[in-house]
Amino acid sequence: MRTVKEVSKITGVSVRTLHHYDAIGLLKPSKVTEAGYRMYDDTALSRLQNILLFRELQFPLKEIKAILDSPDFDPSEAIAQQIRLLELQYKHLGELLAFAREIQSKGVTNMDFDVFDKNEIEKYKAEVMAKWGNTKAYQEYAQKDIAGEEVCYDKSANELMAIFSELGGLKHLTPDSHEVQKKISELQKFITGHYYVCTNEILKGLGQMYVDDERFRKNIDRAGGDGTAEFVSRAISVYCSY
């Protein structure tokens, strides 16, 4: 057993952060002494290690809690997923580094923004969340012809961004307007047709993720203009309340 201060010292996580993790139910101490001291055993430290890896991969705390609390959570499978995501990020950073060095040596000769594309990373993260957040949805997704979908993923991603672009063009309307709600229905059907069954519950979670996760917000706002992610999130909330 280790005290909260000892855990902080060996992990680099501040005591305040550990207290916060306890308060939100992300990492509860293994026991609390009569004097009120939090104590952590190896099981708790193993969970903390998973938390830190997912945080390094920029998963929001809410998503991490959902993953770790899933009854189907498999630590060995999770570490394999974490390694894959780290590999994708390593590849992405390598491409950015090569791009920056080319600019440094040759100057800006080609306004190519493909190097900033993180769709591959975001797609895999969505698979991870589908796996632990909704097992049935993930199983149905996994039954599809993944090899075939990989070939057309770029096309489907562009089509998804086109839907967000169209929603951005509807920001002058109210989120509950017929035209906006029709487009949200189209978004739900598109996700179901290309990725996994998007129930209202999953769609509602995605809507929240669109504003909570900075990367989603930026990509959606880039497609539809500033404020699109917030607008889509509100429209989804209305859609899922019916």
Side-chain angles (χ1 to χ4, degrees):
M1 287 281 192
R2 291 179 172 86
T3 66
V4 68
K5 288 186 178 180
E6 289 172 335
V7 172
S8 177
K9 184 176 181 180
I10 65 175
T11 63
V13 180
S14 71
V15 171
R16 177 175 294 183
T17 297
L18 290 170
H19 286 177
H20 177 62
Y21 287 174
D22 180 10
I24 64 176
L26 178 60
L27 179 69
K28 304 295 290 185
S30 305
K31 64 176 288 187
V32 178
T33 67
E34 293 183 2
Y37 293 109
R38 294 173 172 86
M39 304 295 292
Y40 298 82
D41 61 13
D42 288 344
T43 299
L45 291 178
S46 177
R47 183 178 172 97
L48 177 57
Q49 188 175 65
N50 265 306
I51 292 169
L52 295 180
L53 275 169
F54 279 119
R55 285 298 286 162
E56 193 68 29
L57 293 165
Q58 300 179 5
F59 276 73
L61 295 179
K62 187 176 181 179
E63 290 183 17
I64 296 173
K65 186 176 186 303
I67 291 171
L68 299 183
D69 288 347
S70 169
D72 300 310
F73 180 70
D74 182 348
S76 61
E77 188 172 355
I79 192 65
Q81 292 171 332
Q82 291 162 346
I83 289 171
R84 178 56 180 154
L85 279 167
L86 288 167
E87 288 173 342
L88 290 173
Q89 288 197 353
Y90 180 77
K91 174 187 173 185
H92 180 67
L93 288 173
E95 291 170 349
L96 284 175
L97 182 59
F99 180 67
R101 282 174 172 163
E102 184 177 3
I103 292 176
Q104 184 182 47
S105 62
K106 300 180 181 178
V108 180
T109 58
N110 182 18
M111 298 300 288
D112 181 5
F113 291 91
D114 289 343
V115 70
F116 299 103
D117 187 357
K118 298 179 71 174
N119 276 330
E120 187 178 10
I121 297 174
E122 298 305 331
K123 177 176 180 285
Y124 192 77
K125 287 183 68 174
E127 289 181 30
V128 173
M129 281 308 300
K131 167 64 177 176
W132 305 119
N134 188 292
T135 304
K136 182 179 178 181
Y138 176 80
Q139 289 172 345
E140 293 180 2
Y141 172 80
Q143 288 169 5
K144 295 183 179 181
D145 183 3
I146 300 300
E149 289 188 357
E150 288 294 336
V151 175
C152 65
Y153 175 68
D154 287 342
K155 179 182 177 182
S156 65
N158 289 335
E159 290 174 355
L160 180 60
M161 286 300 108
I163 294 175
F164 287 127
S165 176
E166 292 168 0
L167 280 162
L170 300 176
K171 291 199 297 289
H172 61 287
L173 302 175
T174 59
D176 62 349
S177 67
H178 174 72
E179 192 170 355
V180 173
Q181 289 299 297
K182 183 179 179 181
K183 187 58 65 175
I184 295 298
S185 176
E186 182 182 329
L187 172 65
Q188 184 181 38
K189 290 175 182 177
F190 183 88
I191 294 172
T192 294
H194 290 78
Y195 303 108
Y196 47 80
V197 174
C198 185
T199 63
N200 279 12
E201 182 180 359
I202 292 176
L203 182 64
K204 186 175 181 181
L206 287 173
Q208 191 62 45
M209 191 187 303
Y210 291 159
V211 292
D212 288 347
D213 191 302
E214 185 177 356
R215 290 152 302 167
F216 278 100
R217 179 191 288 269
K218 285 183 177 179
N219 285 334
I220 293 171
D221 283 357
R222 184 167 55 199
D226 289 346
T228 299
E230 180 67 36
F231 178 74
V232 171
S233 180
R234 286 189 285 121
I236 287 175
S237 181
V238 172
Y239 181 88
C240 293
S241 67
Y242 289 150

